[in-house]
């Protein structure tokens, strides 16, 4: 999909409360092809005819407006004109949208392109075109096609380029979280080591008997390594299962803890989302599972080597 737009900051005032949101002039017929806002109106209707607007739910809450109220909107560009006095434009709230992202719900007002042209003194045309791709990961490739088609006179930016700094921070956090989880897994795996060492001590007589009847050092080691492997497999299955359940009910759990502790554990103004977003990838689950099983198997080598070194005579001396 593709749709034109005009975007600029404004000063919005309602009953003495002033905010500085972004007003976006859009084509109401095409906006649904590139945005979720038309389908996210939960109060009123998505109507941009004449002087009608739709506002974000958080902005509406801050201003105290409801459907049918009039907001006085003034463009900062009007203050730069000294020879003329521009009065604010009264726009009627036709709908209130909730897309679940604080940045949009708190800072955006949508109006028609014609209203935006009058508000920002644009005689003709628009500022740009928004393009929606079928696969968001292919936005870079599509942008190259668009650059070749329209030439160097126009600027083409992808959603990744517009939020490059944010994604860089998220990538660093993801890498750090991965290493932290691996260290936690290693620490937990040493618990298996301690348990197997205790088993080796408790089963000294049995190990001695096995070696006396012909079991090799490699056979004894394989018994303990297999125990570590089984612990790793069972623990990984239980951990991933419980993790997926907690992930599914993450927002319900978050609300429960916030209500009980009376603390906002996931501040929306900081993280931009009303709930905790999550995406489960099979590749990530596979990598984590394999690493956890490998670590649990490797740490079993220490008690396995200890048990395999026992001599039958020493093990059975006091039996």
């Amino acid at each position: 999909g593709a749709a034109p737009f005009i975007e600029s900051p404004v000063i919005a005032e309602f009953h003495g409360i002033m905010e500085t949101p972004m007003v976006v002039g859009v084509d109401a017929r095409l906006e649904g092809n590139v945005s979720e806002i038309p389908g996210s109106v939960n109060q009123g209707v998505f109507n941009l005819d004449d002087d009608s607007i739709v506002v974000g739910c958080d902005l509406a809450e801050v201003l105290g407006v409801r459907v049918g109220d009039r907001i006085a909107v003034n463009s900062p560009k009007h203050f730069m004109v000294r020879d003329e006095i521009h009065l604010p434009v009264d726009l009627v709230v036709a709908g209130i949208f909730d897309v679940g992202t604080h940045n949009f719900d708190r800072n955006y007002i949508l109006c028609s392109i014609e209203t935006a042209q009058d508000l920002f003194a644009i005689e003709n045309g628009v500022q740009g075109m928004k393009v929606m791709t079928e696969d968001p990961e292919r936005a870079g490739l599509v942008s190259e096609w668009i650059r070749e088609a329209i030439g160097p006179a126009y600027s083409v930016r992808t959603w990744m380029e517009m939020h490059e700094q944010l994604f860089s921070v998220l990538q660093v956090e993801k890498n750090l979280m991965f290493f932290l989880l691996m260290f936690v897994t290693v620490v937990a795996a040493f618990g298996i080591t301690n348990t197997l060492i205790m088993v080796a001590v408790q089963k000294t007589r049995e190990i001695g008997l096995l070696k006396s009847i012909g079991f090799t050092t490699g056979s004894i080691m394989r018994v303990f390594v297999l125990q570590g492997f089984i612990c790793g497999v069972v623990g990984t299955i239980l951990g991933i299962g419980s993790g997926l359940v907690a992930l599914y009910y993450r927002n319900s759990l978050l609300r429960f803890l916030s209500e009980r502790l009376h603390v906002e554990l996931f501040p929306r103004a900081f993280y931009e989302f009303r709930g905790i977003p999550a995406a489960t990838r099979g590749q990530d689950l596979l990598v984590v599972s394999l690493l956890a099983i490998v670590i649990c198997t490797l740490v079993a080598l220490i008690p396995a080597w200890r048990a395999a070194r026992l001599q039958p005579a020493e093990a059975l001396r006091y039996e």
Side-chain angles (χ1 to χ4, degrees), residues 250-288:
R250 64 190 182 279
N251 289 318
S252 300
L253 181 61
L254 176 67
R255 287 191 294 270
F256 174 78
L257 292 176
S258 298
E259 292 173 0
R260 293 294 180 180
L261 300 177
H262 304 290
V263 176
E264 190 176 4
L265 300 177
F266 193 76
R268 188 182 182 192
F270 181 77
Y271 290 103
E272 300 288 345
F273 295 100
R274 180 174 288 105
I276 301 176
T280 304
R281 297 176 56 189
Q283 181 180 356
D284 291 341
L285 290 178
L286 181 62
V287 171
V288 171

Side-chain angles (χ1 to χ4, degrees), residues 146-188:
I146 295 176
R147 287 189 182 96
E148 294 177 1
I150 66 177
Y154 298 93
S155 172
V156 181
R157 292 192 302 166
T158 66
W159 61 274
M160 292 172 282
E161 292 171 343
M162 294 172 64
H163 304 283
E164 183 177 2
Q165 185 175 5
L166 173 62
F167 289 120
S168 298
V169 172
L170 291 177
Q171 186 62 45
V172 172
E173 290 184 354
K174 183 178 180 180
N175 293 336
L176 289 175
M177 185 63 67
F178 177 80
F179 285 111
L180 286 175
L181 289 176
M182 285 302 99
F183 284 127
V184 171
T185 303
V186 170
V187 172

Side-chain angles (χ1 to χ4, degrees), residues 298-311:
L298 290 178
V299 295
L301 291 174
I302 299 174
W305 176 249
R306 177 186 176 90
R309 292 182 60 191
L310 286 175
Q311 298 298 323

Side-chain angles (χ1 to χ4, degrees), residues 5 33 42 60 63 77 134 146 148 151 173 182 206 215 223 229 231 272 275 277-278 282 297 299 317:
F5 72 93
N33 297 330
N42 55 12
L63 291 175
K77 294 182 180 180
E134 293 183 359
I146 295 176
E148 294 177 1
E173 290 184 354
M182 285 302 99
E206 287 80 358
F215 270 68
V223 171
F229 174 77
C231 289
E272 300 288 345
T297 304
V299 295
R317 171 174 295 180

